Amino acid sequence: MQPESDRYLTLDAMRGFAVMGILAMNIIAFAMPEWAYVTPIAYGGLSTENQISWIFSFIFIDGKMRGLFSLLFGASMMLIIERAQAKGESAAKIHYSRMFWLALFGLAHYFFLWFGDILFLYASVGCIAFRFRNWQPERLIKWALIIFGLGVLFWGLQMGGLQILQYFATQPNADADMVARYDEIIRSNDFDLNVADELALHRGAYWPIVSEKLSEWYTPLAAVLQSIAETLPLMMIGMAMKKNGFITGEWDRPIYILWARKLVPGGLIASAALAGYLVAVDYDLINSLAVFLAWSAIPRLMLTVGYAALLILLIGRISHQKFIKRVAATGQAAFTNYLGTSILMTTLFYGYGFGFFGHVSRIALWPVVFAMWALMLLWAQPWLTRYRYGPLEWLWRSLARGGLQRMKR
C-alpha cells in the first residue's frame, strides 16, 4: 500500500503524464487540417512514414490520454467535494462556481485560441457528474458502463449503418436508389475534407479564424452531445476510483498488475486489429470515422483504465526520483500547461504566427512535442517551489472563490 504522503503525488503525476500525452495527439489538429486526425489520407498521403506515425498514435495514444484526463477530472472533483465537506463548506457552491468559470475559460479558448477545446465539455459534464457524488463506487461503475454501452450502441448503429450502405452501394449492379443515397452522403459537408479551405484559413490572419468559429457558435454544445456518453462515464469511474482508493495508489501492487494484464494487452490487440482493418480498406472516410466514433471506444476504455494501473505502478516505483517530481509539478499546473500549449502551438502553426500549418509532416511533429514536454517539465517545478498554484490555476481558483487567493508560499 502506498503511504499517505504519496497519494496526491500519484494524482498529480498521472495528470502530468496525461497533459503531456494529450499534446501527442492534439499536435495533429494544431498543425494539419482537421480530418488528418481521423485518417492519414486527409493530409500527408500514404507514405510509409505517414502511415506508421498515424498507426502508432492510433494504437497507443489516441483517446487514451484524454480518457485518463477524464478519469482524473472525476477523481479530482471528488477530492474537492470531500475537502469542502470536511471543512463544512458548501460543496455544491464551490463545485458549480468552478464549473461556471471553467466553462467560460473553455469558450474563450475555443473561440479565440483553438477549436479543439475540452474545457467547456468538462465543465458541462462535470455539472452532471456532481449529481452522483454520493453514490457508492460499485453503483458509479455500474451506471458508467451502462451509459458508455449506450453510447457505443448509438454510434455503432449510425456508423455501422453507413458502413453497410457503403458496402452494398459499391457492389456491381447495386440498386440505383441506394447508390444515389450513398453518393449524396459522400458529397455532403460531413465528408468534405475541405483541405484547401482549411489551409487558406489557418495560414491567414487571426480574425478570419475567430470569425469562422463565431459563425458556428453552437459547436461547443454539439461537442458535449457528441462526447457525453464517453466523458461522463469516465468521470464517474474516476469518482469511483477516488472513493475506493484505486487512483490514489492505495491498492496492493499485485492488483494493479492484474488489472494492467487484463486490460492493456487486449486493448492494444483490438486497437491494432482496427488499425489493420483501416489499412486494408485504404483508410476510406466512412470506415475511418466509424472506427474513430464507434468501434475503437471499447479498446480505448480498456487502455485508459489499463494505462492508469500501469502509471500507478510506475509512479509508486520511482516516486522518490527527481523526474517524477517534475512530472507531478507539470500535473499540478495542468490547466496552465493545457492552455499555454494552445497559445504556443497556434502561434507556431497559424498564419498570424510562424505559419507552419500544413508544412510539417506527422513524424516531424514529434520533435515539437518533445520540446513542449521539456518546457512543461522545466518551468512547473521551479514555479511551484515559490508559488502555491500555477498562474491559471490561481486565476481560476480566485474567480471561483470570489477573491484573490494567496499565491506565494
Side-chain angles (χ1 to χ4, degrees):
M1 182 177 292
Q2 207 168 357
E4 178 74 16
S5 60
D6 286 345
R7 291 184 185 174
Y8 303 128
L9 172 68
T10 301
L11 280 176
D12 287 335
M14 288 178 69
R15 194 180 297 110
F17 282 121
V19 76
M20 292 166 67
I22 284 173
L23 175 60
M25 284 308 302
N26 282 355
I27 192 74
I28 302 298
F30 281 121
M32 296 181 178
E34 188 173 1
W35 266 94
Y37 190 103
V38 178
T39 171
I41 67 170
Y43 204 72
L46 294 182
S47 66
T48 300
E49 70 171 34
N50 197 44
Q51 289 192 69
I52 290 173
S53 184
W54 186 89
I55 290 169
F56 173 84
S57 297
F58 173 79
I59 294 173
F60 293 99
I61 307 171
D62 181 30
K64 291 82 173 176
M65 296 299 104
R66 185 179 68 249
L68 187 59
F69 214 68
S70 301
L71 287 182
L72 292 163
F73 191 91
S76 298
M77 184 179 76
M78 201 65 245
L79 177 63
I80 290 168
I81 290 169
E82 290 171 353
R83 284 175 173 172
Q85 291 171 340
K87 294 178 181 178
E89 299 173 333
S90 170
K93 181 180 178 181
I94 290 172
H95 176 76
Y96 286 119
S97 179
R98 293 180 77 250
M99 294 303 101
F100 170 78
W101 287 106
L102 185 63
L104 291 186
F105 275 115
L107 291 174
H109 181 220
Y110 171 79
F111 287 114
F112 301 111
L113 274 177
W114 183 55
F115 72 90
D117 173 71
I118 60 170
L119 301 178
F120 183 79
L121 167 67
Y122 278 16
S124 302
V125 177
C127 289
I128 300 170
F130 181 79
R131 309 302 300 176
F132 312 130
R133 66 194 180 281
N134 295 322
W135 286 12
Q136 292 301 308
E138 296 80 6
R139 189 182 182 192
L140 281 165
I141 293 171
K142 172 188 171 182
W143 280 99
L145 294 177
I146 290 172
I147 296 168
F148 188 88
L150 290 174
V152 173
L153 179 63
F154 172 80
W155 286 113
L157 289 173
Q158 288 199 78
M159 301 312 303
L162 276 178
Q163 287 176 294
I164 292 170
L165 173 63
Q166 176 176 250
Y167 174 79
F168 285 109
T170 54
Q171 296 302 303
N173 301 317
D175 179 77
D177 290 339
M178 185 176 291
V179 172
R181 174 61 181 149
Y182 171 69
D183 288 343
E184 181 184 351
I185 290 172
I186 287 296
R187 293 192 179 97
S188 69
N189 290 334
D190 291 337
F191 291 95
D192 183 1
L193 294 180
N194 206 27
V195 170
D197 289 344
E198 281 203 54
L199 290 174
L201 178 68
H202 291 103
R203 288 174 178 174
Y206 174 75
W207 184 246
I209 297 174
V210 175
S211 298
E212 176 76 11
K213 289 182 286 188
L214 289 173
S215 70
E216 299 179 350
W217 57 268
Y218 50 83
T219 300
L221 296 173
V224 173
L225 295 177
Q226 178 178 312
S227 303
I228 190 171
E230 181 173 62
T231 305
L232 178 58
L234 286 167
M235 285 188 187
M236 292 170 70
I237 293 171
M239 294 165 71
M241 287 179 168
K242 171 61 182 70
K243 284 173 173 278
N244 64 22
F246 179 97
I247 209 164
T248 47
E250 297 175 59
W251 291 17
D252 292 333
R253 186 176 178 83
I255 301 179
Y256 291 110
I257 294 173
L258 177 64
W259 277 107
R261 286 176 175 172
K262 279 183 175 181
L263 297 174
V264 174
L268 290 176
I269 290 169
S271 296
L274 289 170
Y277 168 72
L278 290 180
V279 171
V281 298
D282 296 324
Y283 307 96
D284 79 85
L285 300 187
I286 284 180
N287 282 295
S288 293
L289 195 61
V291 167
F292 179 73
L293 290 175
W295 312 129
S296 62
I298 292 175
R300 252 195 331 262
L301 177 62
M302 293 171 65
L303 287 169
T304 294
V305 178
Y307 282 1
L310 284 176
L311 284 173
I312 290 167
L313 289 168
L314 173 66
I315 294 163
R317 182 174 291 276
I318 63 173
S319 60
H320 300 296
Q321 294 186 13
K322 292 181 179 180
F323 170 73
I324 210 67
K325 304 293 185 183
R326 286 192 174 275
V327 174
T330 299
Q332 281 183 261
F335 187 40
T336 299
N337 278 317
Y338 176 72
L339 288 178
T341 296
S342 291
I343 294 170
L344 291 177
M345 293 299 105
T346 52
T347 301
L348 179 63
F349 291 107
Y350 285 7
Y352 56 81
F354 291 92
F356 288 114
F357 190 85
H359 290 300
V360 185
S361 68
R362 289 176 191 272
I363 201 162
L365 289 172
W366 279 102
V368 181
V369 173
F370 297 148
M372 192 64 208
W373 286 356
L375 180 60
M376 291 181 187
L377 292 170
L378 286 171
W379 84 268
Q381 189 181 43
W383 177 279
L384 291 170
T385 300
R386 296 186 60 190
Y387 301 104
R388 292 159 58 94
Y389 313 106
L392 291 180
E393 283 77 10
W394 172 82
L395 179 59
W396 182 19
R397 185 179 177 88
S398 295
L399 290 169
R401 291 188 172 260
L404 296 180
Q405 302 295 294
R406 184 164 65 90
M407 186 64 158
K408 286 192 175 181
R409 289 191 180 277

